PDB file of all heavy atoms in Angstrom:
ATOM      1  N   SER F   1       8.057 -51.983  44.911  1.00  0.00           N
ATOM      2  CA  SER F   1       9.107 -52.956  44.988  1.00  0.00           C
ATOM      3  C   SER F   1      10.144 -52.526  46.012  1.00  0.00           C
ATOM      4  O   SER F   1      10.457 -51.382  46.131  1.00  0.00           O
ATOM      5  CB  SER F   1       9.716 -53.287  43.630  1.00  0.00           C
ATOM      6  OG  SER F   1      10.455 -52.169  43.213  1.00  0.00           O
ATOM      7  N   ARG F   2      10.866 -53.469  46.604  1.00  0.00           N
ATOM      8  CA  ARG F   2      11.976 -53.180  47.519  1.00  0.00           C
ATOM      9  C   ARG F   2      13.083 -52.451  46.711  1.00  0.00           C
ATOM     10  O   ARG F   2      13.706 -51.548  47.264  1.00  0.00           O
ATOM     11  CB  ARG F   2      12.483 -54.436  48.187  1.00  0.00           C
ATOM     12  CG  ARG F   2      11.438 -54.994  49.075  1.00  0.00           C
ATOM     13  CD  ARG F   2      12.214 -56.249  49.971  1.00  0.00           C
ATOM     14  NE  ARG F   2      12.577 -57.265  49.158  1.00  0.00           N
ATOM     15  CZ  ARG F   2      11.813 -58.352  48.765  1.00  0.00           C
ATOM     16  NH1 ARG F   2      10.579 -58.409  49.115  1.00  0.00           N
ATOM     17  NH2 ARG F   2      12.379 -59.290  47.989  1.00  0.00           N
ATOM     18  N   LYS F   3      13.274 -52.846  45.501  1.00  0.00           N
ATOM     19  CA  LYS F   3      14.367 -52.288  44.736  1.00  0.00           C
ATOM     20  C   LYS F   3      14.099 -50.787  44.473  1.00  0.00           C
ATOM     21  O   LYS F   3      14.955 -49.958  44.657  1.00  0.00           O
ATOM     22  CB  LYS F   3      14.563 -53.081  43.435  1.00  0.00           C
ATOM     23  CG  LYS F   3      15.691 -52.517  42.616  1.00  0.00           C
ATOM     24  CD  LYS F   3      15.831 -53.444  41.275  1.00  0.00           C
ATOM     25  CE  LYS F   3      17.017 -52.982  40.434  1.00  0.00           C
ATOM     26  NZ  LYS F   3      17.099 -53.867  39.188  1.00  0.00           N
ATOM     27  N   ALA F   4      12.911 -50.497  44.057  1.00  0.00           N
ATOM     28  CA  ALA F   4      12.528 -49.089  43.862  1.00  0.00           C
ATOM     29  C   ALA F   4      12.633 -48.283  45.157  1.00  0.00           C
ATOM     30  O   ALA F   4      12.916 -47.058  45.046  1.00  0.00           O
ATOM     31  CB  ALA F   4      11.084 -49.078  43.240  1.00  0.00           C
ATOM     32  N   ALA F   5      12.120 -48.929  46.195  1.00  0.00           N
ATOM     33  CA  ALA F   5      12.100 -48.115  47.453  1.00  0.00           C
ATOM     34  C   ALA F   5      13.556 -47.767  47.922  1.00  0.00           C
ATOM     35  O   ALA F   5      13.890 -46.719  48.324  1.00  0.00           O
ATOM     36  CB  ALA F   5      11.538 -48.864  48.573  1.00  0.00           C
ATOM     37  N   ALA F   6      14.496 -48.821  47.759  1.00  0.00           N
ATOM     38  CA  ALA F   6      15.910 -48.508  48.070  1.00  0.00           C
ATOM     39  C   ALA F   6      16.513 -47.436  47.219  1.00  0.00           C
ATOM     40  O   ALA F   6      17.299 -46.639  47.685  1.00  0.00           O
ATOM     41  CB  ALA F   6      16.607 -49.892  47.922  1.00  0.00           C
ATOM     42  N   GLU F   7      16.253 -47.469  45.892  1.00  0.00           N
ATOM     43  CA  GLU F   7      16.715 -46.465  45.009  1.00  0.00           C
ATOM     44  C   GLU F   7      16.125 -45.019  45.423  1.00  0.00           C
ATOM     45  O   GLU F   7      16.954 -44.100  45.470  1.00  0.00           O
ATOM     46  CB  GLU F   7      16.277 -46.746  43.558  1.00  0.00           C
ATOM     47  CG  GLU F   7      16.761 -45.732  42.504  1.00  0.00           C
ATOM     48  CD  GLU F   7      16.297 -45.869  41.198  1.00  0.00           C
ATOM     49  OE1 GLU F   7      15.630 -46.840  40.916  1.00  0.00           O
ATOM     50  OE2 GLU F   7      16.593 -45.010  40.297  1.00  0.00           O
ATOM     51  N   LEU F   8      14.920 -45.004  45.737  1.00  0.00           N
ATOM     52  CA  LEU F   8      14.348 -43.647  46.091  1.00  0.00           C
ATOM     53  C   LEU F   8      15.024 -43.186  47.522  1.00  0.00           C
ATOM     54  O   LEU F   8      15.423 -42.073  47.580  1.00  0.00           O
ATOM     55  CB  LEU F   8      12.917 -43.758  46.385  1.00  0.00           C
ATOM     56  CG  LEU F   8      11.981 -43.793  45.060  1.00  0.00           C
ATOM     57  CD1 LEU F   8      10.634 -44.173  45.352  1.00  0.00           C
ATOM     58  CD2 LEU F   8      11.961 -42.313  44.590  1.00  0.00           C
ATOM     59  N   ARG F   9      15.258 -44.096  48.418  1.00  0.00           N
ATOM     60  CA  ARG F   9      15.920 -43.738  49.708  1.00  0.00           C
ATOM     61  C   ARG F   9      17.297 -43.151  49.433  1.00  0.00           C
ATOM     62  O   ARG F   9      17.702 -42.135  49.979  1.00  0.00           O
ATOM     63  CB  ARG F   9      15.935 -44.884  50.659  1.00  0.00           C
ATOM     64  CG  ARG F   9      14.608 -45.189  51.233  1.00  0.00           C
ATOM     65  CD  ARG F   9      14.749 -46.202  52.433  1.00  0.00           C
ATOM     66  NE  ARG F   9      15.366 -47.466  52.085  1.00  0.00           N
ATOM     67  CZ  ARG F   9      14.586 -48.478  51.752  1.00  0.00           C
ATOM     68  NH1 ARG F   9      13.300 -48.369  51.708  1.00  0.00           N
ATOM     69  NH2 ARG F   9      15.210 -49.632  51.458  1.00  0.00           N
ATOM     70  N   THR F  10      18.065 -43.958  48.516  1.00  0.00           N
ATOM     71  CA  THR F  10      19.437 -43.583  48.260  1.00  0.00           C
ATOM     72  C   THR F  10      19.521 -42.168  47.627  1.00  0.00           C
ATOM     73  O   THR F  10      20.271 -41.233  47.985  1.00  0.00           O
ATOM     74  CB  THR F  10      20.142 -44.566  47.367  1.00  0.00           C
ATOM     75  OG1 THR F  10      20.142 -45.826  47.971  1.00  0.00           O
ATOM     76  CG2 THR F  10      21.562 -44.108  47.097  1.00  0.00           C
ATOM     77  N   ARG F  11      18.561 -41.915  46.654  1.00  0.00           N
ATOM     78  CA  ARG F  11      18.617 -40.692  45.831  1.00  0.00           C
ATOM     79  C   ARG F  11      18.162 -39.565  46.785  1.00  0.00           C
ATOM     80  O   ARG F  11      18.673 -38.402  46.667  1.00  0.00           O
ATOM     81  CB  ARG F  11      17.778 -40.833  44.642  1.00  0.00           C
ATOM     82  CG  ARG F  11      18.411 -41.750  43.489  1.00  0.00           C
ATOM     83  CD  ARG F  11      17.566 -41.878  42.311  1.00  0.00           C
ATOM     84  NE  ARG F  11      17.400 -40.535  41.649  1.00  0.00           N
ATOM     85  CZ  ARG F  11      16.816 -40.494  40.543  1.00  0.00           C
ATOM     86  NH1 ARG F  11      16.244 -41.501  39.886  1.00  0.00           N
ATOM     87  NH2 ARG F  11      16.619 -39.232  39.939  1.00  0.00           N
ATOM     88  N   ILE F  12      17.137 -39.782  47.605  1.00  0.00           N
ATOM     89  CA  ILE F  12      16.619 -38.645  48.501  1.00  0.00           C
ATOM     90  C   ILE F  12      17.633 -38.233  49.520  1.00  0.00           C
ATOM     91  O   ILE F  12      17.833 -37.061  49.663  1.00  0.00           O
ATOM     92  CB  ILE F  12      15.311 -39.062  49.060  1.00  0.00           C
ATOM     93  CG1 ILE F  12      14.190 -39.122  48.096  1.00  0.00           C
ATOM     94  CG2 ILE F  12      14.906 -38.062  50.227  1.00  0.00           C
ATOM     95  CD1 ILE F  12      12.951 -39.794  48.628  1.00  0.00           C
ATOM     96  N   THR F  13      18.189 -39.232  50.156  1.00  0.00           N
ATOM     97  CA  THR F  13      19.266 -38.929  51.180  1.00  0.00           C
ATOM     98  C   THR F  13      20.513 -38.297  50.628  1.00  0.00           C
ATOM     99  O   THR F  13      21.076 -37.286  51.226  1.00  0.00           O
ATOM    100  CB  THR F  13      19.671 -40.223  52.009  1.00  0.00           C
ATOM    101  OG1 THR F  13      20.058 -41.191  51.059  1.00  0.00           O
ATOM    102  CG2 THR F  13      18.517 -40.639  52.880  1.00  0.00           C
ATOM    103  N   ALA F  14      20.902 -38.687  49.410  1.00  0.00           N
ATOM    104  CA  ALA F  14      22.013 -38.041  48.766  1.00  0.00           C
ATOM    105  C   ALA F  14      21.682 -36.622  48.318  1.00  0.00           C
ATOM    106  O   ALA F  14      22.467 -35.752  48.334  1.00  0.00           O
ATOM    107  CB  ALA F  14      22.459 -38.813  47.484  1.00  0.00           C
ATOM    108  N   ARG F  15      20.447 -36.477  47.955  1.00  0.00           N
ATOM    109  CA  ARG F  15      20.022 -35.074  47.499  1.00  0.00           C
ATOM    110  C   ARG F  15      19.963 -34.108  48.594  1.00  0.00           C
ATOM    111  O   ARG F  15      20.383 -32.907  48.467  1.00  0.00           O
ATOM    112  CB  ARG F  15      18.628 -35.222  46.794  1.00  0.00           C
ATOM    113  CG  ARG F  15      18.109 -33.881  46.226  1.00  0.00           C
ATOM    114  CD  ARG F  15      18.948 -33.391  45.080  1.00  0.00           C
ATOM    115  NE  ARG F  15      18.362 -32.200  44.585  1.00  0.00           N
ATOM    116  CZ  ARG F  15      18.571 -30.935  45.180  1.00  0.00           C
ATOM    117  NH1 ARG F  15      19.407 -30.872  46.120  1.00  0.00           N
ATOM    118  NH2 ARG F  15      18.070 -29.828  44.610  1.00  0.00           N
ATOM    119  N   ILE F  16      19.478 -34.544  49.729  1.00  0.00           N
ATOM    120  CA  ILE F  16      19.282 -33.632  50.894  1.00  0.00           C
ATOM    121  C   ILE F  16      20.698 -33.553  51.724  1.00  0.00           C
ATOM    122  O   ILE F  16      20.691 -32.688  52.569  1.00  0.00           O
ATOM    123  CB  ILE F  16      18.095 -33.979  51.859  1.00  0.00           C
ATOM    124  CG1 ILE F  16      18.268 -35.241  52.377  1.00  0.00           C
ATOM    125  CG2 ILE F  16      16.828 -33.933  50.964  1.00  0.00           C
ATOM    126  CD1 ILE F  16      17.187 -35.762  53.406  1.00  0.00           C
ATOM    127  N   GLY F  17      21.513 -34.499  51.439  1.00  0.00           N
ATOM    128  CA  GLY F  17      22.833 -34.499  52.189  1.00  0.00           C
ATOM    129  C   GLY F  17      22.793 -34.852  53.610  1.00  0.00           C
ATOM    130  O   GLY F  17      23.589 -34.359  54.443  1.00  0.00           O
ATOM    131  N   ARG F  18      21.802 -35.711  54.002  1.00  0.00           N
ATOM    132  CA  ARG F  18      21.672 -36.135  55.324  1.00  0.00           C
ATOM    133  C   ARG F  18      20.854 -37.436  55.426  1.00  0.00           C
ATOM    134  O   ARG F  18      20.192 -37.761  54.520  1.00  0.00           O
ATOM    135  CB  ARG F  18      20.916 -35.049  56.130  1.00  0.00           C
ATOM    136  CG  ARG F  18      19.559 -34.695  55.648  1.00  0.00           C
ATOM    137  CD  ARG F  18      18.811 -33.544  56.362  1.00  0.00           C
ATOM    138  NE  ARG F  18      18.398 -34.003  57.624  1.00  0.00           N
ATOM    139  CZ  ARG F  18      17.431 -33.324  58.318  1.00  0.00           C
ATOM    140  NH1 ARG F  18      17.009 -32.081  57.837  1.00  0.00           N
ATOM    141  NH2 ARG F  18      17.005 -33.775  59.478  1.00  0.00           N
ATOM    142  N   THR F  19      20.902 -38.099  56.623  1.00  0.00           N
ATOM    143  CA  THR F  19      20.132 -39.244  56.831  1.00  0.00           C
ATOM    144  C   THR F  19      19.023 -38.954  57.758  1.00  0.00           C
ATOM    145  O   THR F  19      18.922 -37.931  58.407  1.00  0.00           O
ATOM    146  CB  THR F  19      21.018 -40.417  57.525  1.00  0.00           C
ATOM    147  OG1 THR F  19      21.466 -39.864  58.721  1.00  0.00           O
ATOM    148  CG2 THR F  19      22.084 -40.777  56.568  1.00  0.00           C
ATOM    149  N   VAL F  20      17.991 -39.806  57.784  1.00  0.00           N
ATOM    150  CA  VAL F  20      16.794 -39.600  58.650  1.00  0.00           C
ATOM    151  C   VAL F  20      16.611 -40.838  59.397  1.00  0.00           C
ATOM    152  O   VAL F  20      16.956 -41.928  58.988  1.00  0.00           O
ATOM    153  CB  VAL F  20      15.597 -39.227  57.849  1.00  0.00           C
ATOM    154  CG1 VAL F  20      15.768 -37.891  57.135  1.00  0.00           C
ATOM    155  CG2 VAL F  20      15.312 -40.362  56.755  1.00  0.00           C
ATOM    156  N   ARG F  21      15.968 -40.775  60.546  1.00  0.00           N
ATOM    157  CA  ARG F  21      15.775 -41.897  61.428  1.00  0.00           C
ATOM    158  C   ARG F  21      14.772 -42.876  60.886  1.00  0.00           C
ATOM    159  O   ARG F  21      15.095 -44.150  60.872  1.00  0.00           O
ATOM    160  CB  ARG F  21      15.144 -41.422  62.765  1.00  0.00           C
ATOM    161  CG  ARG F  21      15.049 -42.468  63.783  1.00  0.00           C
ATOM    162  CD  ARG F  21      14.608 -41.812  65.156  1.00  0.00           C
ATOM    163  NE  ARG F  21      13.348 -41.135  65.003  1.00  0.00           N
ATOM    164  CZ  ARG F  21      12.178 -41.630  65.204  1.00  0.00           C
ATOM    165  NH1 ARG F  21      11.968 -42.882  65.416  1.00  0.00           N
ATOM    166  NH2 ARG F  21      11.033 -40.819  65.060  1.00  0.00           N
ATOM    167  N   GLU F  22      13.731 -42.494  60.268  1.00  0.00           N
ATOM    168  CA  GLU F  22      12.756 -43.377  59.672  1.00  0.00           C
ATOM    169  C   GLU F  22      13.019 -43.419  58.091  1.00  0.00           C
ATOM    170  O   GLU F  22      13.258 -42.416  57.554  1.00  0.00           O
ATOM    171  CB  GLU F  22      11.327 -42.955  59.851  1.00  0.00           C
ATOM    172  CG  GLU F  22      10.890 -43.255  61.280  1.00  0.00           C
ATOM    173  CD  GLU F  22      10.698 -44.710  61.662  1.00  0.00           C
ATOM    174  OE1 GLU F  22      10.284 -45.475  60.694  1.00  0.00           O
ATOM    175  OE2 GLU F  22      10.804 -45.107  62.764  1.00  0.00           O
ATOM    176  N   PRO F  23      12.868 -44.635  57.468  1.00  0.00           N
ATOM    177  CA  PRO F  23      13.032 -44.595  55.942  1.00  0.00           C
ATOM    178  C   PRO F  23      11.990 -43.633  55.275  1.00  0.00           C
ATOM    179  O   PRO F  23      10.807 -43.657  55.634  1.00  0.00           O
ATOM    180  CB  PRO F  23      12.657 -46.099  55.640  1.00  0.00           C
ATOM    181  CG  PRO F  23      12.876 -46.832  57.000  1.00  0.00           C
ATOM    182  CD  PRO F  23      12.463 -46.006  58.023  1.00  0.00           C
ATOM    183  N   VAL F  24      12.542 -42.857  54.387  1.00  0.00           N
ATOM    184  CA  VAL F  24      11.646 -41.915  53.671  1.00  0.00           C
ATOM    185  C   VAL F  24      10.780 -42.655  52.754  1.00  0.00           C
ATOM    186  O   VAL F  24       9.596 -42.349  52.533  1.00  0.00           O
ATOM    187  CB  VAL F  24      12.535 -40.877  52.964  1.00  0.00           C
ATOM    188  CG1 VAL F  24      11.571 -39.887  52.188  1.00  0.00           C
ATOM    189  CG2 VAL F  24      13.271 -40.086  54.021  1.00  0.00           C
ATOM    190  N   ALA F  25      11.407 -43.689  52.039  1.00  0.00           N
ATOM    191  CA  ALA F  25      10.553 -44.466  51.053  1.00  0.00           C
ATOM    192  C   ALA F  25      10.412 -45.891  51.407  1.00  0.00           C
ATOM    193  O   ALA F  25      11.429 -46.536  51.866  1.00  0.00           O
ATOM    194  CB  ALA F  25      11.404 -44.397  49.718  1.00  0.00           C
ATOM    195  N   ARG F  26       9.244 -46.415  51.261  1.00  0.00           N
ATOM    196  CA  ARG F  26       8.920 -47.804  51.720  1.00  0.00           C
ATOM    197  C   ARG F  26       7.970 -48.323  50.684  1.00  0.00           C
ATOM    198  O   ARG F  26       7.328 -47.706  49.979  1.00  0.00           O
ATOM    199  CB  ARG F  26       8.374 -47.691  53.141  1.00  0.00           C
ATOM    200  CG  ARG F  26       9.107 -47.016  54.113  1.00  0.00           C
ATOM    201  CD  ARG F  26       8.475 -47.040  55.534  1.00  0.00           C
ATOM    202  NE  ARG F  26       8.585 -48.415  56.090  1.00  0.00           N
ATOM    203  CZ  ARG F  26       8.448 -48.744  57.433  1.00  0.00           C
ATOM    204  NH1 ARG F  26       8.108 -47.741  58.174  1.00  0.00           N
ATOM    205  NH2 ARG F  26       8.641 -49.855  57.873  1.00  0.00           N
ATOM    206  N   THR F  27       7.855 -49.676  50.727  1.00  0.00           N
ATOM    207  CA  THR F  27       6.821 -50.304  49.913  1.00  0.00           C
ATOM    208  C   THR F  27       5.511 -50.356  50.728  1.00  0.00           C
ATOM    209  O   THR F  27       5.521 -50.037  51.992  1.00  0.00           O
ATOM    210  CB  THR F  27       7.120 -51.729  49.631  1.00  0.00           C
ATOM    211  OG1 THR F  27       7.200 -52.608  50.924  1.00  0.00           O
ATOM    212  CG2 THR F  27       8.577 -51.895  49.061  1.00  0.00           C
ATOM    213  N   PHE F  28       4.379 -50.462  50.075  1.00  0.00           N
ATOM    214  CA  PHE F  28       3.138 -50.568  50.686  1.00  0.00           C
ATOM    215  C   PHE F  28       3.123 -51.608  51.860  1.00  0.00           C
ATOM    216  O   PHE F  28       2.649 -51.383  53.009  1.00  0.00           O
ATOM    217  CB  PHE F  28       2.090 -50.881  49.771  1.00  0.00           C
ATOM    218  CG  PHE F  28       1.421 -49.538  49.028  1.00  0.00           C
ATOM    219  CD1 PHE F  28       2.002 -49.086  47.919  1.00  0.00           C
ATOM    220  CD2 PHE F  28       0.371 -48.886  49.728  1.00  0.00           C
ATOM    221  CE1 PHE F  28       1.515 -47.957  47.328  1.00  0.00           C
ATOM    222  CE2 PHE F  28      -0.104 -47.825  49.138  1.00  0.00           C
ATOM    223  CZ  PHE F  28       0.351 -47.187  47.954  1.00  0.00           C
ATOM    224  N   HIS F  29       3.683 -52.720  51.519  1.00  0.00           N
ATOM    225  CA  HIS F  29       3.589 -53.834  52.460  1.00  0.00           C
ATOM    226  C   HIS F  29       4.535 -53.599  53.699  1.00  0.00           C
ATOM    227  O   HIS F  29       4.172 -53.873  54.813  1.00  0.00           O
ATOM    228  CB  HIS F  29       3.964 -55.068  51.850  1.00  0.00           C
ATOM    229  CG  HIS F  29       2.994 -55.569  50.865  1.00  0.00           C
ATOM    230  ND1 HIS F  29       2.999 -55.324  49.484  1.00  0.00           N
ATOM    231  CD2 HIS F  29       1.836 -56.316  51.036  1.00  0.00           C
ATOM    232  CE1 HIS F  29       1.950 -55.883  48.872  1.00  0.00           C
ATOM    233  NE2 HIS F  29       1.255 -56.472  49.830  1.00  0.00           N
ATOM    234  N   SER F  30       5.744 -52.934  53.395  1.00  0.00           N
ATOM    235  CA  SER F  30       6.646 -52.623  54.435  1.00  0.00           C
ATOM    236  C   SER F  30       5.973 -51.540  55.385  1.00  0.00           C
ATOM    237  O   SER F  30       6.078 -51.655  56.604  1.00  0.00           O
ATOM    238  CB  SER F  30       7.904 -52.123  53.936  1.00  0.00           C
ATOM    239  OG  SER F  30       8.784 -51.534  54.990  1.00  0.00           O
ATOM    240  N   TYR F  31       5.383 -50.550  54.844  1.00  0.00           N
ATOM    241  CA  TYR F  31       4.641 -49.588  55.783  1.00  0.00           C
ATOM    242  C   TYR F  31       3.515 -50.229  56.491  1.00  0.00           C
ATOM    243  O   TYR F  31       3.396 -49.968  57.695  1.00  0.00           O
ATOM    244  CB  TYR F  31       4.150 -48.418  54.818  1.00  0.00           C
ATOM    245  CG  TYR F  31       3.252 -47.448  55.563  1.00  0.00           C
ATOM    246  CD1 TYR F  31       3.900 -46.588  56.425  1.00  0.00           C
ATOM    247  CD2 TYR F  31       1.874 -47.545  55.518  1.00  0.00           C
ATOM    248  CE1 TYR F  31       3.120 -45.696  57.233  1.00  0.00           C
ATOM    249  CE2 TYR F  31       1.173 -46.706  56.295  1.00  0.00           C
ATOM    250  CZ  TYR F  31       1.694 -45.783  57.148  1.00  0.00           C
ATOM    251  OH  TYR F  31       0.912 -44.932  57.897  1.00  0.00           O
ATOM    252  N   ALA F  32       2.729 -51.027  55.847  1.00  0.00           N
ATOM    253  CA  ALA F  32       1.648 -51.803  56.626  1.00  0.00           C
ATOM    254  C   ALA F  32       2.178 -52.537  57.779  1.00  0.00           C
ATOM    255  O   ALA F  32       1.523 -52.559  58.776  1.00  0.00           O
ATOM    256  CB  ALA F  32       0.784 -52.518  55.613  1.00  0.00           C
ATOM    257  N   PHE F  33       3.325 -53.320  57.482  1.00  0.00           N
ATOM    258  CA  PHE F  33       3.910 -54.131  58.545  1.00  0.00           C
ATOM    259  C   PHE F  33       4.317 -53.241  59.608  1.00  0.00           C
ATOM    260  O   PHE F  33       4.198 -53.585  60.853  1.00  0.00           O
ATOM    261  CB  PHE F  33       5.008 -54.939  57.874  1.00  0.00           C
ATOM    262  CG  PHE F  33       5.590 -56.022  58.920  1.00  0.00           C
ATOM    263  CD1 PHE F  33       4.821 -57.100  59.175  1.00  0.00           C
ATOM    264  CD2 PHE F  33       6.660 -55.814  59.583  1.00  0.00           C
ATOM    265  CE1 PHE F  33       5.357 -58.066  60.031  1.00  0.00           C
ATOM    266  CE2 PHE F  33       7.290 -56.700  60.354  1.00  0.00           C
ATOM    267  CZ  PHE F  33       6.482 -57.896  60.666  1.00  0.00           C
ATOM    268  N   GLY F  34       4.931 -52.050  59.396  1.00  0.00           N
ATOM    269  CA  GLY F  34       5.248 -51.120  60.434  1.00  0.00           C
ATOM    270  C   GLY F  34       4.047 -50.701  61.238  1.00  0.00           C
ATOM    271  O   GLY F  34       4.182 -50.485  62.462  1.00  0.00           O
ATOM    272  N   VAL F  35       2.937 -50.443  60.585  1.00  0.00           N
ATOM    273  CA  VAL F  35       1.699 -49.958  61.313  1.00  0.00           C
ATOM    274  C   VAL F  35       1.372 -51.098  62.274  1.00  0.00           C
ATOM    275  O   VAL F  35       0.989 -50.855  63.385  1.00  0.00           O
ATOM    276  CB  VAL F  35       0.681 -49.641  60.392  1.00  0.00           C
ATOM    277  CG1 VAL F  35      -0.688 -49.463  61.062  1.00  0.00           C
ATOM    278  CG2 VAL F  35       0.917 -48.391  59.498  1.00  0.00           C
ATOM    279  N   LEU F  36       1.300 -52.360  61.790  1.00  0.00           N
ATOM    280  CA  LEU F  36       0.949 -53.454  62.685  1.00  0.00           C
ATOM    281  C   LEU F  36       1.798 -53.701  63.771  1.00  0.00           C
ATOM    282  O   LEU F  36       1.488 -53.944  64.888  1.00  0.00           O
ATOM    283  CB  LEU F  36       0.866 -54.751  61.906  1.00  0.00           C
ATOM    284  CG  LEU F  36      -0.181 -54.746  60.739  1.00  0.00           C
ATOM    285  CD1 LEU F  36      -0.113 -56.042  59.981  1.00  0.00           C
ATOM    286  CD2 LEU F  36      -1.581 -54.612  61.361  1.00  0.00           C
ATOM    287  N   HIS F  37       3.183 -53.375  63.542  1.00  0.00           N
ATOM    288  CA  HIS F  37       4.221 -53.544  64.624  1.00  0.00           C
ATOM    289  C   HIS F  37       4.046 -52.385  65.694  1.00  0.00           C
ATOM    290  O   HIS F  37       4.057 -52.691  66.862  1.00  0.00           O
ATOM    291  CB  HIS F  37       5.628 -53.358  63.974  1.00  0.00           C
ATOM    292  CG  HIS F  37       6.690 -53.841  64.852  1.00  0.00           C
ATOM    293  ND1 HIS F  37       7.201 -53.127  65.923  1.00  0.00           N
ATOM    294  CD2 HIS F  37       7.406 -54.969  64.813  1.00  0.00           C
ATOM    295  CE1 HIS F  37       8.139 -53.761  66.536  1.00  0.00           C
ATOM    296  NE2 HIS F  37       8.429 -54.875  65.856  1.00  0.00           N
ATOM    297  N   ARG F  38       3.725 -51.140  65.213  1.00  0.00           N
ATOM    298  CA  ARG F  38       3.601 -50.050  66.253  1.00  0.00           C
ATOM    299  C   ARG F  38       2.215 -50.312  67.007  1.00  0.00           C
ATOM    300  O   ARG F  38       2.183 -49.994  68.240  1.00  0.00           O
ATOM    301  CB  ARG F  38       3.498 -48.767  65.455  1.00  0.00           C
ATOM    302  CG  ARG F  38       4.873 -48.270  64.873  1.00  0.00           C
ATOM    303  CD  ARG F  38       4.816 -46.863  64.371  1.00  0.00           C
ATOM    304  NE  ARG F  38       4.110 -46.889  63.106  1.00  0.00           N
ATOM    305  CZ  ARG F  38       4.851 -47.041  61.887  1.00  0.00           C
ATOM    306  NH1 ARG F  38       6.028 -47.446  61.915  1.00  0.00           N
ATOM    307  NH2 ARG F  38       4.202 -47.032  60.736  1.00  0.00           N
ATOM    308  N   ALA F  39       1.223 -50.805  66.398  1.00  0.00           N
ATOM    309  CA  ALA F  39      -0.022 -51.089  67.043  1.00  0.00           C
ATOM    310  C   ALA F  39       0.199 -52.222  68.110  1.00  0.00           C
ATOM    311  O   ALA F  39      -0.377 -52.084  69.201  1.00  0.00           O
ATOM    312  CB  ALA F  39      -1.127 -51.490  66.054  1.00  0.00           C
TER     313      ALA F  39
END
């Protein structure tokens, strides 16, 4: 779910104390859409 992915991203970035260029946590559908976009 988007809600679960957003919570994971928030907690991971807070835990490591930094941001990253690509989302660390994504839904299956969001990741698959990203693959199609890159292709």
Side-chain angles (χ1 to χ4, degrees):
S1 70
R2 292 189 298 271
K3 184 177 180 180
E7 179 187 356
L8 279 166
R9 285 195 296 270
T10 300
R11 292 181 59 174
I12 290 172
T13 52
R15 180 67 181 82
I16 64 178
R18 56 184 287 193
T19 58
V20 294
R21 183 172 59 86
E22 288 286 334
V24 177
R26 309 182 71 165
T27 66
F28 272 93
H29 292 94
S30 171
Y31 173 75
F33 189 74
V35 171
L36 295 177
H37 196 284
R38 289 187 285 274

